[in-house]
Amino acid sequence: MAKRSDLMTRGVERTPHRSLFRAEGFTDWELERPIIGIANSFSEIIPGHMHLGRLVEAVKAGIYSAGGTPVEFNTIGVCDGIAMNHEGMKYSLPSRELIADSIEIMAMAHPFDGLVLMASCDKIVPGMLIAAARLNIPSIFLSGGPMLPGRVGDREVGLDKVFEAVGQFQSGRITEEELRLMECDACPGIGSCAGMFTANTMNNLSEALGMALPFNGSAPGVYSHRVWLAKETGRKIVELVSRGIRPRQILTREAFFNAVAVDMALGGSTNTALHLPALAYYADVDLTLRDFDTLSEKVPHLTSIAPAGPHHVVDLYHAGGVPAILTELRRKGLIDAGQMTVYGKTLGKMLEEIGAGIRDPQVIRPVDRPVHVTGGLAVLTGNLAPNGAIVKQAAVAEEMLRHTGPARVFHSEEEAFEAIMGGRIRKGDVVVIRYEGPRGGPGMREMLSPTSALAGMGLDKEVALITDGRFSGASRGASIGHISPEAAAGGPLAAVRDGDLIEIDIPSRRLTLRLPEEEIKRRLSGLPPFEPKVRSGYLARYARMVSSADLGAVLPK
């Protein structure tokens, strides 16, 4: 049977092509096998990617053992933690599309028969999955696994606590020595940061989508299970190629619903409300914020993982991981077990074969005894967010689920952070950060620094923060992001002035600016045209083309 790679290896006319392969040491028998491209995002700037070089060797071993020929190439990756709270964060979300483009370029210029996609963190994971959806050649995803939590005193901690420690130090709640101890001990080694932040949320949801093997999202980066997964991933991609199983057979509307259901059960990052709709968009599947809200009402929250609770992703692993979550949701008919997976079998058959189930009910609650009866995320609408906004309700204190307060308006993250650190935010305020959306930012920066500073100062139970930008998965408190349309597109957020009352009602899914509609329209009509913050380079091009957050911050197909 003809292979895709025959376009570069078979026939007299491909003699020059084979000559170039021979320059790299490839033999006749290697060129006759299926050729598997390995997109490796290894770098020395991201802790979750430092060890991908070791894992790629295990993937290659699996590919060879199954009768394939591995060929490794690289792509970029931004460390969101290091890029946080400065101009670098403008580039994080836009890198998602560049990563997808770079993989598409490599896989089309060199027609691989299949792809292994290797990443751990934030935008790199959805970027790779988007590439798989667009290319639609047999593909499988492998993450580098989560970081273990650090230990400070008698507490297990992660990166979120380091960000919060900045606010604690600024408000005099901890000493400089204690801040230094947190800095040095909170992140003990390789892996994606230890809580249910964006990276680990997406790595776990890749299992629910069917694009990764069981425990891909929770087996720690330092565990031998991670190497076993890498070898098995290599074997499975050759099987997927031989059987012709392609991403769009896996990435169905029902598979996306499975992923959103698991997201709700995990209490995952609000960034999934960007990445799952974007992935669906590029896969030609209809998925909107309305679907998130519908499933949030149906699906219970089953875990309490940092930043929303005391556990970390390693605890999820030992408790049974995503397979246990899926098994519990299946008991209540909340997932479609008939969906195909890269395991080579349907989701239901895979769960039965691996013996999935809860191993620690203190970490993963049974579906009839959940942490919360509704999902971890909530979609809010109202006159301030006509097209929707998103909040991680599982990480909101009870007293802030409903809150009304005066607006304190800022036109950038830096302005707001300076005001918070300078003690200029009062109890009861609603901090408004606008012109930080996909177009306005540009790049829709994560805002972990201001939310963590509020939490570190003990204000997360008394101050809300709303924005057309977005939040890190490590954010907690009444942090409402993705307000759409964004201010730069003329959304109502642009009309807010200092002192205006803003009403937040998470249980009722409402976000309201207490002004008559006529006054909102009058203010918007009087605003000058939006002036782009960046006028050259990639960000300028991105800002001209990118959609609003409610559509996933996508580019035209």
Side-chain angles (χ1 to χ4, degrees), residues 74 197 208 259 287 362 383 499 521 534 538:
N74 291 93
F197 315 142
L287 183 75
Q362 299 304 310
N383 69 349
K521 290 178 182 177
V534 179
Y538 176 59

Side-chain angles (χ1 to χ4, degrees), residues 84-104:
M84 196 73 66
N85 198 28
H86 59 83
E87 288 295 298
M89 181 47 74
K90 291 179 183 290
Y91 288 85
S92 176
L93 181 60
S95 76
R96 186 185 69 186
E97 268 59 29
L98 275 181
I99 290 162
D101 288 347
S102 69
I103 294 171
E104 178 182 336

Side-chain angles (χ1 to χ4, degrees), residues 405-411 415-416 419 424-426 429-434 492-502 513-515 519 523:
R408 296 292 306 281
V409 182
F410 303 94
H411 285 196
E415 289 180 21
R424 301 199 302 274
I425 300 302
R426 297 179 292 274
D429 283 348
V430 177
V431 176
V432 176
I433 307 178
R434 63 189 177 195
L493 196 66
V496 182
R497 295 177 181 171
D498 275 336
D500 289 343
L501 286 180
I502 293 174
L513 175 60
R514 284 191 176 175
L515 285 177
E519 175 62 12
R523 290 186 186 182

